[in-house]
Amino acid sequence: IDQLVNVLAERILSNHQSGQADHHVQEVLTIFPSLQFGMDVNPKFTAGPTGVEYTMHLNAFDLLHIELVHGWLLEPDAQEYDLIGNQTYNQLINMVIEGNDAATTLHNVDPSSGAIS
């Protein structure tokens, strides 16, 4: 992984023009060592193959002139399309967690008193 990180860093620095987005270069060079564990990419299911929420990890693709695409797409005629809207994967996961928490709370309500057990 060290060799790959070095090659990518050299490529970014050779593509980089001084003064242009220096902070993005610094961010990417800072996150490179953690890339061996993965990258945070947060797709939008209804925004096409390039629809993702911005994270600093995506700067690596920009600085390497690589267009990131994903295949997690929902057909426009799917019944869930309007419900999902422009929400990202992380936003939808949070909705599922909140729904599960609410269901657990409702399950623990005593029907006779209305108290949560």
Side-chain angles (χ1 to χ4, degrees), residues 4 45-46 65 74 76 78 90 93 104:
L4 176 60
F45 300 97
T46 60
H65 305 290
L74 194 58
N90 288 348
I93 290 298
T104 299

Side-chain angles (χ1 to χ4, degrees), residues 30 34 64 77:
T30 301
S34 69
L64 290 166
D77 59 351

Side-chain angles (χ1 to χ4, degrees), residues 4-41:
L4 176 60
V5 167
N6 288 336
V7 168
L8 292 174
E10 286 176 20
R11 176 62 59 104
I12 285 174
L13 291 172
S14 70
N15 288 343
H16 180 65
Q17 296 175 2
S18 182
Q20 183 182 29
D22 286 334
H23 66 281
H24 291 301
V25 171
Q26 282 303 320
E27 283 179 348
V28 170
L29 295 177
T30 301
I31 64 165
F32 265 172
S34 69
L35 293 181
Q36 66 181 320
F37 304 109
M39 178 182 280
D40 182 19
V41 178

Side-chain angles (χ1 to χ4, degrees), residues 41-46 51-53 70 72 87-90 92:
V41 178
N42 193 11
K44 296 180 180 181
F45 300 97
T46 60
V52 294
E53 179 182 56
H70 67 86
W72 289 20
Q87 296 184 77
T88 65
Y89 173 84
N90 288 348
L92 293 168

